Amino acid sequence: MHLTLELTDRDQTLAHVANAWDAACRDPFWGQVEGRLESNAFGQMVVNPPPTFEHNDKQHRIARLLEERLGGVSRVEFPVLTVGGMKITDVAWMSQQQYHERKSQPESKACPALCVEVLSPSNVPDELRHKRVLYFDAGASECWECDLDGRMTYYLDGDPDTTHAKSKRCPDFPDTIED
């Protein structure tokens, strides 16, 4: 089944999502909620369970490996403004230039070059594909996934359905994230 979500205007949707996110970040209520906060395309907040130790460990290992191999800047639990809402990618990587541009312009919601999702037992394929589509639409050049066993899968150049054995940007990245 294919579902199409009709939104009014792309720029209006992004502005609405960004404004709702900024308001939630300033609201002390949301600061007390345990879990990962994201939003949907309508600016409504969505709370997911916090990551487990194993999940968080993979996030940090991937972030460290990206910086070692590519330089630039990696961050975990990084917000990405999309037409589907503010999504939190498990690991984000951006060039030094992109990092400095984003850092000097806090209102910038530029998408990182790489968005990595570390899978949890509750993830379903449609959810992961949906996030890839949103990240590519927002400007990511690659989306990666790390499965429950630490195996890496790569999606390149805006194609959310074709898996690749290697990344174009970082072809020497390990095939598996080991404990």
Side-chain angles (χ1 to χ4, degrees):
M1 174 203 293
H2 182 74
L3 174 67
T4 302
L5 178 61
E6 296 266 340
L7 301 173
T8 51
D9 173 83
R10 179 185 176 78
D11 292 338
Q12 286 178 342
T13 298
L14 290 170
H16 177 69
V17 167
N19 289 338
W21 182 258
D22 291 341
C25 288
R26 288 190 306 275
D27 185 337
F29 169 80
W30 293 111
Q32 297 174 16
V33 173
E34 183 162 339
R36 174 190 274 182
L37 186 65
E38 293 184 319
S39 74
N40 64 20
F42 306 106
Q44 298 163 320
M45 297 302 118
V46 177
V47 180
N48 291 303
T52 63
F53 176 84
E54 183 180 356
H55 186 276
N56 190 259
D57 189 54
K58 286 176 185 166
Q59 288 174 288
H60 284 279
R61 288 173 189 264
I62 291 167
R64 188 186 75 244
L65 287 165
L66 279 168
E67 286 188 358
E68 286 173 4
R69 284 169 168 73
L70 296 176
V73 177
S74 293
R75 293 290 183 261
V76 298
E77 304 287 321
F78 195 81
V80 179
L81 177 64
T82 76
V83 294
M86 189 67 77
K87 301 304 177 194
I88 307 299
T89 189
D90 288 315
V91 181
W93 178 88
M94 61 199 90
S95 67
Q96 283 289 344
Q97 178 183 348
Q98 189 180 24
Y99 173 75
H100 288 298
E101 288 170 2
R102 184 145 183 182
K103 187 176 174 184
S104 67
Q105 300 173 358
E107 70 281 354
S108 169
K109 306 289 190 211
C111 184
L114 299 179
C115 294
V116 183
E117 290 296 316
V118 176
L119 277 57
S120 299
S122 63
N123 289 127
V124 295
D126 286 344
E127 170 193 10
L128 297 167
R129 183 185 184 281
H130 180 71
K131 276 192 154 184
R132 287 192 306 270
V133 168
L134 292 173
Y135 292 150
F136 282 133
D137 179 70
S141 61
E142 295 188 19
C143 293
W144 300 2
E145 290 176 5
C146 177
D147 73 12
L148 297 174
D149 295 320
R151 290 183 302 257
M152 299 299 298
T153 305
Y154 307 93
Y155 299 85
L156 311 174
D157 300 323
D159 183 354
D161 297 316
T162 304
T163 60
H164 296 268
K166 296 287 180 191
S167 160
K168 277 187 188 176
R169 191 176 292 266
C170 190
D172 67 334
F173 198 84
D175 295 334
T176 305
I177 302 303
E178 308 266 341
D179 287 336

